[in-house]
Amino acid sequence: MESSSTDSPFWKIDVLGLCRKGALGAMVIGMSLFGTVVYPDTANAYAQPQVAEVWSTTASSKKQEVYRDALPSAKELSAEELATIQLFQQTTPAVVNITNIVNARKPYSANVFEMPLGQGSGFLWDTKGHIVTNFHVIKGSSSLRVTLIDQQVFPAKVIGADPSRDVAVLQLDAPKEVLERLTPAEINDSSSLFVGQRVYAIGNPFGLDHSLSSGIISGLNRELGGIKNAIQSDCSINPGNSGGPLLNSRGEVIAMNTAIVDPGGKGGFNGIGFAVPMSDVKGLVDQILKFGRVIRPALGVTVAPPQALRQLGLDGVLILDVPKNSPAYKAGMVGISRDSYGRLILGDIITGINGKPVRDQGDLFDVLDSLSVGSTVTIDSLRGGEQKRSFTVTLEERSNTLTFE
């Protein structure tokens, strides 16, 4: 990492300190995966020239309760400090370290060896060994290795993922007795959050496992690429925190840390981090666990570019085409057509779904993503931009390969 030059006194002191603590191995693979707003492919910024003995750590006999020691005396610490310590001790066993492994080949050699591409975080969803993390943490992996709180390392496989929302679910491959001792995270639906609310982040920044930072919610309902309703916080999060939990003061997971604002493109924290709210993550995880993938509902229509309606001074989503046998076709909706003179005739303009206004395509997809396949919805439209119509549509699965012919 460019900001960690070996000429820096801080780097020298830090390395010596880590060597004394036996944590040099963690720093070797600390060039971690972390998505950024302007530089999402940070894995390439943390190339690892050394991979020897990365996996030489033997399994510890410690249990999940490794951090659940007695609290310090109240005389030594404030009530706020005691509460933070207790939160960390209760929640940190649910946080795991995820290492992305790729198969590499030396030049002019047929020998293939495993090389850590980077690291990220994740948290235990249940006692069945399901782990939730970011998709970019596991993207491009040949294999995955998960380190638990007691330093035991186990392989894991990807059950399913939603790249557009940066969510992935893993299955830990561990003995039954290990799974039974796991401590899953407590999930909050994140429906009642406030700017200024205290939050905490636990993860593995730069390979420093189970690091805690705190801050406040700085903003709500941010849009981050394809991620809607992202939570902005000023918790110190860095490469390696991706996929880790953002907690409220009760130790409940309210969001999953995902990205940082990084104008310099160096992977450093600038006081602005984003997290995917649990209200979005939970639905995706439930679908992945049930179906092995995310199933999204659709009307089965092709929509026109938003510029078309702007020129007409109208709000809504203009339907360009309604394929035969699609859900919208069965309900009687129509797209743009031409008259006998070749002039364009506007079809239906979607203005609302189930009473919720639809002003643009973002509103349309937000409403659809909150519904499920098989749901029956009421579509409000303006036929030809003037005539109000209402349609009852039964949603079907959205598919990039599905055609309604």
Side-chain angles (χ1 to χ4, degrees):
M1 184 172 178
E2 296 179 9
S3 60
S4 298
S5 171
T6 53
D7 295 329
S8 168
F10 173 78
W11 172 254
K12 293 177 181 178
I13 294 173
D14 194 39
V15 168
L16 290 173
L18 289 171
C19 286
R20 295 190 190 103
K21 298 179 181 178
L24 185 58
M27 290 299 294
V28 171
I29 56 175
M31 293 68 80
S32 312
L33 290 173
F34 193 83
T36 66
V37 174
V38 295
Y39 187 49
D41 192 17
T42 52
N44 295 329
Y46 303 102
Q48 302 174 59
Q50 302 179 26
V51 297
E53 297 184 358
V54 168
W55 304 111
S56 61
T57 303
T58 57
S60 169
S61 60
K62 298 178 182 178
K63 295 185 178 181
Q64 292 287 312
E65 293 78 8
V66 64
Y67 277 116
R68 295 186 176 179
D69 299 327
L71 288 174
S73 171
K75 297 179 181 180
E76 300 174 4
L77 302 171
S78 68
E80 181 179 0
E81 289 174 321
L82 286 170
T84 301
I85 293 170
Q86 186 175 24
L87 178 144
F88 177 74
Q89 292 179 351
Q90 290 178 347
T91 59
T92 193
V95 182
V96 301
N97 186 322
I98 300 172
T99 304
N100 185 324
I101 306 293
V102 295
N103 292 330
R105 180 176 295 170
K106 294 182 179 179
Y108 312 109
S109 173
N111 296 328
V112 176
F113 64 96
E114 291 185 337
M115 181 178 72
L117 177 64
Q119 284 188 325
S121 304
F123 54 94
L124 296 166
W125 190 259
D126 52 34
T127 56
K128 298 179 181 178
H130 296 130
I131 298 169
V132 176
T133 186
N134 284 140
F135 173 75
H136 74 259
V137 169
I138 55 93
K139 182 180 179 181
S141 63
S142 301
S143 61
L144 298 167
R145 293 178 184 173
V146 173
T147 305
L148 302 178
I149 184 66
D150 58 8
Q151 299 305 306
Q152 291 192 84
V153 180
F154 298 99
K157 65 178 181 179
V158 180
I159 297 178
D162 183 359
S164 66
R165 298 298 179 88
D166 205 9
V167 175
V169 180
L170 313 181
Q171 173 64 64
L172 184 68
D173 184 9
K176 182 179 179 180
E177 57 271 19
V178 174
L179 298 180
E180 291 175 346
R181 294 201 306 268
L182 296 179
T183 304
E186 293 187 20
I187 307 300
N188 183 290
D189 64 4
S190 66
S191 59
S192 299
L193 300 177
F194 301 92
V195 173
Q197 180 177 338
R198 174 70 64 179
V199 288
Y200 304 85
I202 300 179
N204 307 288
F206 303 107
L208 300 172
D209 66 293
H210 298 88
S211 297
L212 173 70
S213 62
S214 65
I216 61 170
I217 293 178
S218 306
L220 297 170
N221 301 317
R222 304 302 193 197
E223 185 170 346
L224 185 65
I227 301 173
K228 306 287 186 180
N229 306 316
I231 299 171
Q232 177 188 337
S233 81
D234 66 351
C235 279
S236 180
I237 50 179
N238 289 284
N241 276 109
S242 272
L246 187 69
L247 308 164
N248 61 17
S249 57
R250 294 190 299 272
E252 299 167 333
V253 181
I254 59 172
M256 177 170 58
N257 293 313
T258 297
I260 57 175
V261 170
D262 182 18
K266 299 180 183 295
F269 180 62
N270 289 280
I272 301 177
F274 298 99
V276 185
M278 280 297 107
S279 55
D280 291 347
V281 172
K282 187 178 186 305
L284 299 175
V285 172
D286 289 344
Q287 288 194 55
I288 291 172
L289 292 179
K290 185 175 181 180
F291 303 108
R293 57 194 174 94
V294 174
I295 299 177
R296 288 198 170 91
L299 296 170
V301 299
T302 302
V303 298
Q307 295 85 348
L309 281 185
R310 291 200 196 107
Q311 294 176 357
L312 298 174
L314 297 173
D315 289 333
V317 176
L318 175 62
I319 297 179
L320 182 64
D321 182 46
V322 182
K324 187 177 180 180
N325 295 326
S326 67
Y329 177 88
K330 297 173 184 177
M333 302 185 75
V334 298
I336 296 176
S337 59
R338 292 183 182 272
D339 62 15
S340 57
Y341 297 98
R343 295 173 297 191
L344 291 176
I345 301 175
L346 292 182
D348 287 307
I349 301 173
I350 300 175
T351 59
I353 299 181
N354 287 346
K356 297 180 180 179
V358 174
R359 293 174 291 269
D360 51 34
Q361 293 183 16
D363 288 344
L364 174 63
F365 294 130
D366 282 347
V367 175
L368 290 177
D369 283 346
S370 68
L371 301 169
S372 58
V373 173
S375 298
T376 299
V377 298
T378 300
I379 307 292
D380 298 322
S381 82
L382 285 176
R383 176 70 58 88
E386 298 178 351
Q387 186 179 9
K388 290 185 178 181
R389 292 285 189 94
S390 182
F391 303 92
T392 300
V393 181
T394 300
L395 302 178
E396 297 181 8
E397 181 179 352
R398 185 190 309 174
S399 173
N400 294 330
T401 59
L402 183 62
T403 58
F404 297 94
E405 298 295 335

